Amino acid sequence: MTNATDWLVDLGARLAHRLDLDVITLGRDPRSHVVMLDATVSRRHAELVRGAGGWLLSVSGSTGATVNEVRVDSPVALAPGDELQIGTRTFRFVRGPLPDGVSPATPEESSLTDPRLLRTTASLPAIDKAVFVAMSETRGRPRRSAIRWAAGLAIGALLLALTCSKLN
């Protein structure tokens, strides 16, 4: 095994996710290492597992994935340059230095891998960004739990603002 840095490069967002853990999860679940806000992706859609011989892609999502345009049904070893299609996103497995024009992803960017969401949420305050993400995960249709969550968040922010204004 080599000491070179391994990356999963999101070709649409031009962001690279460092593969620095033994297991990297990809999916819609907010606890995933690479969160994908994509209706065609399962909550825990895929895992990259570091083994003695390198990285293995294991897919558990019902819509599957492809590696180099071949559908994956069982764990498959990745080689540098392999392209992975998961949902509507395309990634490339890279070992070593990043390609030109690709930046390392921040933790916040790892949670929003859709470039349209990165552009849309970049100018929002944190509270609005959290509400936007919650709404995005319900495919734009607010569900009661999302509405209750957003209302609770707004009330909490209001109470915090009132408390801070009284302290000043």
Side-chain angles (χ1 to χ4, degrees), residues 79-91:
D82 282 351
E83 285 195 7
L84 292 69
Q85 180 81 33
I86 300 175
T88 59
R89 312 297 303 153
T90 302
F91 298 92

Side-chain angles (χ1 to χ4, degrees), residues 29-149:
D29 190 322
R31 293 169 296 202
S32 293
H33 298 101
V34 179
V35 177
M36 302 172 63
L37 301 179
D38 182 336
T40 64
V41 173
S42 303
R43 289 198 176 274
R44 290 186 53 95
H45 197 90
E47 287 184 339
L48 291 171
V49 180
R50 185 189 332 246
W55 289 94
L56 290 175
L57 173 69
S58 177
V59 179
S60 57
S62 59
T63 58
T66 63
V67 174
N68 299 325
E69 299 182 8
V70 176
R71 184 162 175 81
V72 174
D73 295 321
S74 59
V76 62
L78 295 179
D82 282 351
E83 285 195 7
L84 292 69
Q85 180 81 33
I86 300 175
T88 59
R89 312 297 303 153
T90 302
F91 298 92
R92 179 172 291 136
F93 176 67
V94 174
R95 175 164 290 142
L98 291 176
D100 290 338
V102 174
S103 304
T106 64
E108 182 179 67
E109 290 167 331
S110 288
S111 66
L112 295 171
T113 59
D114 186 330
R116 293 168 298 172
L117 294 177
L118 289 173
R119 280 194 305 273
T120 305
T121 61
S123 61
L124 296 176
I127 189 168
D128 293 337
K129 190 178 293 189
V131 171
F132 179 83
V133 169
M135 297 295 282
S136 298
E137 289 180 343
T138 60
R139 298 184 194 151
R141 296 185 312 272
R143 294 189 180 146
R144 284 192 196 128
S145 59
I147 292 171
R148 277 190 232 126
W149 179 83

